[in-house]
Amino acid sequence: NKNMGLHMPAREFRVACRSWLGLTSRVEAKAMLKPGIAMYGRHHAIQECLLSLCRSAGVPAKREILIDNSGQRPADVFLSNFFQGQPVAADVTVSHPSQAPPNPSDGAAPTLSASERAALLKSDVKNRKYKTQCDARGVAFMPVVVCSFGGWLPDGEELVHELANRSASRSGRDVATTKAQFWERLSIALWRGNARQLLHCLW
């Protein structure tokens, strides 16, 4: 359904399916981690999808605004009045299981998957970079970490669920259906981004 953002061209669909099924070569696996225009395209696709979900929910949102004079932009999506009136700076980043740090020998962390460890590492990096800056301005900083295979950390899930709840309340649609459609749109945005990155790097 193109109008709902649920569409993949045939070439992208084939590439995405091969990646999802683990039928990629070592060269293709490296291409998923290669920085550059294609990687930013995947990030921007998720950012644009979140902005679209905000519009559906009637939530005012802007992209990549400055919150002080540092020149840094911690908000890929800035929600000016969201959680109990507090503004939120949502910073999107995509992780990959191969970026996971080694399991420590103690604590609960060894029970986590490589995907979870990689996502948590990305979240920690973002918090160290931006959280203090946002706290000083009374802005809640939220790393929105997405695994390249589709998993989300709880903060990002909470954001999407809240947007879906507001959208359903605003439109009178069923909440469960709205949530399912929101996740479908985000999933298509991610996997189209994955496919484009592979196509860009390999062909």
Side-chain angles (χ1 to χ4, degrees):
N1 187 325
K2 291 184 178 181
N3 292 333
M4 294 180 62
L6 306 178
H7 173 260
M8 292 184 73
R11 190 182 187 197
E12 292 178 4
F13 180 75
R14 289 193 295 269
V15 171
C17 282
R18 290 185 70 249
S19 178
W20 176 258
L21 294 171
L23 302 177
T24 50
S25 66
R26 186 171 298 179
V27 173
E28 288 172 314
K30 288 183 178 179
M32 287 286 284
L33 297 168
K34 189 174 182 180
I37 294 174
M39 182 174 283
Y40 285 115
R42 179 173 58 180
H43 166 279
H44 292 339
I46 298 169
Q47 177 192 32
E48 289 301 317
C49 190
L50 284 173
L51 286 164
S52 176
L53 299 186
C54 287
R55 289 191 291 271
S56 296
V59 174
K62 297 180 180 180
R63 68 169 58 80
E64 298 186 9
I65 71 166
L66 296 169
I67 65 168
D68 56 25
N69 59 4
S70 67
Q72 292 185 317
R73 299 177 186 271
D76 288 316
V77 179
F78 183 79
L79 303 96
S80 57
N81 182 7
F82 195 59
F83 285 131
Q84 298 180 346
Q86 185 179 23
V88 174
D91 189 14
V92 175
T93 186
V94 181
S95 63
H96 190 275
S98 66
Q99 298 169 323
N103 264 332
S105 58
D106 57 353
T111 66
L112 300 178
S113 68
S115 295
E116 289 170 312
R117 298 198 311 275
L120 288 169
L121 176 64
K122 287 269 192 173
S123 180
D124 288 343
V125 169
K126 290 290 186 178
N127 275 317
R128 288 196 298 271
K129 186 174 182 180
Y130 294 127
K131 191 175 188 307
T132 300
Q133 174 191 5
C134 289
D135 286 347
R137 295 289 176 174
V139 176
F141 178 66
M142 178 187 294
V144 177
V145 186
V146 186
C147 174
S148 56
F149 288 98
W152 290 56
L153 288 182
D155 282 350
E157 288 186 349
E158 182 182 356
L159 173 63
V160 175
H161 287 165
E162 179 62 22
L163 290 173
N165 286 334
R166 296 191 187 194
S167 179
S169 175
R170 184 172 184 242
S171 64
R173 294 178 298 172
D174 176 68
V175 173
T177 300
T178 302
K179 286 183 180 180
Q181 290 174 346
F182 274 27
W183 285 117
E184 287 167 359
R185 290 165 65 181
L186 287 163
S187 180
I188 292 294
L190 173 66
W191 278 98
R192 287 200 69 182
N194 285 339
R196 288 172 180 174
Q197 180 152 344
L198 285 169
L199 290 167
H200 176 83
C201 293
L202 299 176
W203 290 281

